[in-house]
């Protein structure tokens, strides 16, 4: 399985930070967006993702880690514009590889998201990674579920929400603050200038309104 590395992203939403892409085999087949509504399944990023998934582009794991180790100290970088955390089997995160990734990230500001199921094993890996400074956000399809994840497990969570839900701030039923990803509502903000997703100890949820070609499908999943 191969992993892509882009030193300076040209993606408008991330801005010019280093980004990565993991082969499709890292995705859990139980992900609600698997084969339907996944943001990564459109445009140039999908062509890139297909090439990595077909083994035509990208790096083996150890070579990939060495690229992460070469990042400048303090560098913000996003793991997985597409793809998920490395796995040993469908839906089972590879704890050894995540520990290696967290170690390679030391001194840098890496962050990512996961749609893998919150089994005890996966939760242990996610908690370890966040404690080690490599931020893993749990991806959910509702701010209420994200709220529950943060309350129950003390780990950061994000939520995909209906495309119409674009208020800058709001609260869950329990009162937890929700911030809409500023890059989705302001043209002059991107990850390189925001970095909220990297803050693993934050108390608020980050919401991503559905967008793009699969917006209707995503709306039907999250509504
Ligand atoms: S909240 Fe900030 S860091 Fe997270 S995706 Fe949006 S712009 Fe990027």
């Amino acid at each position: 399985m191969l992993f892509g590395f882009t030193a300076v992203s040209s993606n408008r939403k991330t801005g010019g930070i280093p980004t990565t892409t993991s082969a499709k085999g890292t995705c859990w087949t139980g992900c609600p967006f698997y084969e339907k509504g996944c943001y990564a399944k459109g445009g140039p990023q999908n062509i890139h993702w297909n090439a990595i998934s077909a083994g035509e582009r990208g790096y083996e794991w150890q070579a990939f880690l060495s690229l992460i180790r070469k990042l400048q100290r303090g560098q913000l970088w996003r793991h997985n514009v597409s793809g998920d955390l490395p796995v040993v089997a469908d839906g089972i995160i590879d704890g050894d590889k995540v520990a290696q990734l967290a170690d390679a990230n030391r001194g840098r500001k890496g962050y990512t998201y996961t749609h893998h199921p919150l089994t005890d094993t996966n939760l242990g890996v996610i908690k370890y990674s966040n404690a080690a400074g490599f931020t893993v956000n749990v991806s959910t399809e509702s701010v209420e579920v994200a709220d529950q994840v943060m309350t129950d497990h003390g780990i950061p969570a994000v939520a995909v929400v209906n495309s119409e839900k674009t208020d800058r701030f709001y609260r869950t039923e329990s009162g937890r603050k929700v911030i809409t990803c500023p890059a989705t509502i302001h043209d002059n903000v991107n990850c390189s200038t925001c970095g909220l997703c990297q803050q693993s100890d934050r108390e608020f949820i980050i919401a991503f309104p559905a967008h793009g070609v699969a917006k209707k499908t995503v709306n039907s999943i999250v509504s």
Side-chain angles (χ1 to χ4, degrees):
M1 197 176 291
L2 297 181
F3 301 83
F5 177 84
T6 303
V8 182
S9 173
S10 56
N11 184 302
R12 189 199 71 74
K13 290 224 168 74
T14 62
I17 58 173
T19 59
T20 72
T21 297
S22 296
K24 294 182 182 181
T26 58
C27 288
W28 179 40
T29 56
C31 171
F33 301 129
Y34 190 81
E35 298 294 347
K36 51 177 190 281
C38 179
Y39 291 125
K41 297 205 77 184
Q45 176 60 23
N46 193 40
I47 295 169
H48 183 55
W49 198 24
N50 281 337
I52 289 166
S53 302
E56 298 163 1
R57 191 183 295 178
Y59 301 87
E60 297 287 352
W61 183 248
Q62 290 303 328
F64 175 76
L65 289 180
S66 70
L67 292 168
I68 303 304
R69 284 191 206 98
K70 285 179 187 155
L71 291 174
Q72 287 192 344
R73 299 191 83 73
Q75 175 68 57
L76 182 76
W77 66 281
R78 172 175 167 164
H79 184 50
N80 289 341
V81 177
S82 316
D84 208 309
L85 291 171
V87 292
V88 290
D90 187 21
I92 305 172
I93 302 172
D94 187 329
D96 290 342
K97 282 199 169 81
V98 172
Q100 291 165 6
L101 186 56
D103 188 56
N105 172 65
R106 272 184 207 287
R108 289 90 182 169
K109 295 180 177 174
Y111 66 98
T112 194
Y113 313 85
T114 184
H115 250 118
H116 285 301
L118 296 184
T119 59
D120 287 348
T121 304
N122 287 347
L123 272 169
V125 176
I126 295 166
K127 287 180 182 178
Y128 171 86
S129 185
N130 280 299
F134 179 62
T135 304
V136 178
N137 291 277
V138 172
S139 292
T140 73
E141 293 71 57
S142 109
V143 295
E144 301 305 332
V145 173
D147 190 352
Q148 198 72 51
V149 168
M150 291 180 74
T151 300
D152 289 353
H153 305 295
I155 50 180
V158 300
V160 179
V161 298
N162 189 284
S163 58
E164 303 292 319
K165 189 71 177 161
T166 55
D167 326 34
R168 285 174 64 202
F169 309 109
Y170 49 102
R171 290 191 183 272
T172 62
E173 286 167 11
S174 76
R176 188 185 290 276
K177 190 172 182 180
V178 180
I179 295 180
T180 297
C181 163
T184 63
I185 50 177
H186 301 294
D187 285 341
N188 59 347
V189 182
N190 56 44
C191 300
S192 74
T193 58
C194 167
L196 289 179
C197 289
Q198 197 275 328
Q199 296 176 18
S200 63
D201 60 351
R202 65 175 194 268
E203 294 292 327
F204 55 87
I205 295 160
I206 297 171
F208 297 99
H211 66 275
V213 288
K215 184 164 75 177
K216 276 189 185 164
T217 308
V218 174
N219 277 345
S220 71
I221 293 170
V222 301
S223 298

